[in-house]
Amino acid sequence: MYNPFSLSGKTIFVTGASSGIGKATAIECSKMGAQLIITGRNEERLNDTFQLLEGKGHVKMIADLNVKEDLDLLVNQIPPLNGIAHCAGMLITLPFPYISKEKMDTIFEVNFFSPTLITQRLLKNKKIKNNSSIVFISSLAGVVCTTLANSMYSATKGAINGMAKGMALDLSHKKIRVNCVNPGMINTEMINESVITKEQVQEDAKRYPLKRYGNPEEVAYAAIYLLSDASAWVTGSNLIIDGGLTLQ
């Protein structure tokens, strides 16, 4: 049956695949026929993701992309790619008067430097084929709006969006597309690890016209669109997935 969103025959690299949006993206891409290369720092959780992948030929690589030795090994072993979904990320909630260079270095390393520099390494090593697609899981924060005590997080996402637009232009001669998915609040472990209480989450969800936060799979579906040939004329774009929050 014809399916313009099929990923059959495509090799897709997913970072941050051990949990949350990365885990959902890997699983849903496998259902669409992709061959997956997944990476994460937590071996047990990455194994859980790997067991849920459909199809055969998938590869898992335990790696900390901020460690040079891990990055070197990954770049050397990874096969030529048709797509990348950069899903690894972290949140540090701290009011602006209390931020520090050390904490900014930490969050920028994970949310900005790691995905951009590994992409550069893969390009230089000819591991990203022409006509491929690169997708960054960004955020509404720092691009459309922000929230209290999240200036550092917003800064990283604003930076990744700016980088993605520049990359889209620089790589257009290779027909390599670069786009961002910009979600609102998503039900992931990141919420549980933050300082926000369950009651605050329930109250905050009321701000959304659809009266709930999104689910990781709903972000994964957006990534699949951008990784597939259905979006062959889309590059340098932000795909907002926010339950209608920015309508208000």
Side-chain angles (χ1 to χ4, degrees), residues 91-96 139-155 183-185 196 204 207-208 213 245:
L91 175 68
I92 299 178
T93 300
L94 198 65
F96 179 76
S139 174
L140 292 181
V143 181
V144 180
C145 58
T146 191
T147 53
L148 284 170
N150 278 318
S151 57
M152 292 189 295
Y153 179 79
S154 296
M185 289 293 286
I196 303 173
D204 186 62
R207 298 188 301 121
Y208 289 72
Y213 286 169
L245 179 65

Side-chain angles (χ1 to χ4, degrees), residues 104-188:
M104 285 194 289
D105 285 344
T106 298
I107 193 169
F108 264 91
E109 192 66 45
V110 174
N111 291 1
F112 178 73
F113 289 114
S114 177
T116 55
L117 293 178
I118 189 173
T119 302
Q120 183 193 46
R121 286 282 302 277
L122 290 168
L123 280 165
K124 286 186 173 182
N125 283 270
K126 302 186 186 304
K127 295 297 181 76
I128 303 177
K129 295 180 178 179
N130 290 357
N131 297 293
S132 293
S133 173
I134 300 169
V135 178
F136 292 96
I137 302 302
S138 182
S139 174
L140 292 181
V143 181
V144 180
C145 58
T146 191
T147 53
L148 284 170
N150 278 318
S151 57
M152 292 189 295
Y153 179 79
S154 296
T156 65
K157 295 304 184 178
I160 205 68
N161 269 70
M163 180 64 75
K165 290 185 182 298
M167 289 171 61
L169 276 180
D170 290 346
L171 301 180
S172 60
H173 69 286
K174 294 179 178 291
K175 303 297 188 290
I176 295 175
R177 299 180 293 108
V178 187
N179 294 283
C180 290
V181 178
N182 301 75
M185 289 293 286
I186 304 297
N187 293 310
T188 67

Side-chain angles (χ1 to χ4, degrees), residues 3-156:
N3 182 358
F5 304 99
S6 172
L7 299 177
S8 180
K10 295 183 183 294
T11 301
I12 306 294
F13 175 46
V14 180
T15 70
S18 56
S19 63
I21 292 171
K23 180 177 183 177
T25 298
I27 293 169
E28 296 304 318
C29 282
S30 76
K31 293 177 182 179
M32 299 304 292
Q35 181 178 346
L36 272 297
I37 298 166
I38 62 173
T39 189
R41 291 180 293 183
N42 187 297
E43 183 173 4
E44 182 179 355
R45 293 195 298 179
L46 193 67
N47 285 338
D48 289 342
T49 301
F50 192 77
Q51 295 301 319
L52 293 171
L53 299 180
E54 296 190 6
K56 298 180 180 180
H58 308 301
V59 177
K60 60 182 175 182
M61 296 182 177
I62 307 299
D64 184 337
L65 302 183
N66 299 317
V67 175
K68 183 181 184 301
E69 292 75 15
D70 286 8
L71 182 56
D72 290 343
L73 185 63
L74 189 148
V75 170
N76 289 334
Q77 292 185 347
I78 208 165
L81 301 169
N82 304 104
I84 303 174
H86 285 297
C87 304
M90 70 175 301
L91 175 68
I92 299 178
T93 300
L94 198 65
F96 179 76
Y98 302 100
I99 69 174
S100 66
K101 177 66 161 52
E102 180 183 13
K103 286 184 169 58
M104 285 194 289
D105 285 344
T106 298
I107 193 169
F108 264 91
E109 192 66 45
V110 174
N111 291 1
F112 178 73
F113 289 114
S114 177
T116 55
L117 293 178
I118 189 173
T119 302
Q120 183 193 46
R121 286 282 302 277
L122 290 168
L123 280 165
K124 286 186 173 182
N125 283 270
K126 302 186 186 304
K127 295 297 181 76
I128 303 177
K129 295 180 178 179
N130 290 357
N131 297 293
S132 293
S133 173
I134 300 169
V135 178
F136 292 96
I137 302 302
S138 182
S139 174
L140 292 181
V143 181
V144 180
C145 58
T146 191
T147 53
L148 284 170
N150 278 318
S151 57
M152 292 189 295
Y153 179 79
S154 296
T156 65

Side-chain angles (χ1 to χ4, degrees), residues 91 185-196 201 213:
L91 175 68
M185 289 293 286
I186 304 297
N187 293 310
T188 67
E189 294 87 344
M190 193 177 289
I191 293 177
N192 299 326
E193 295 170 356
S194 72
V195 297
I196 303 173
V201 167
Y213 286 169

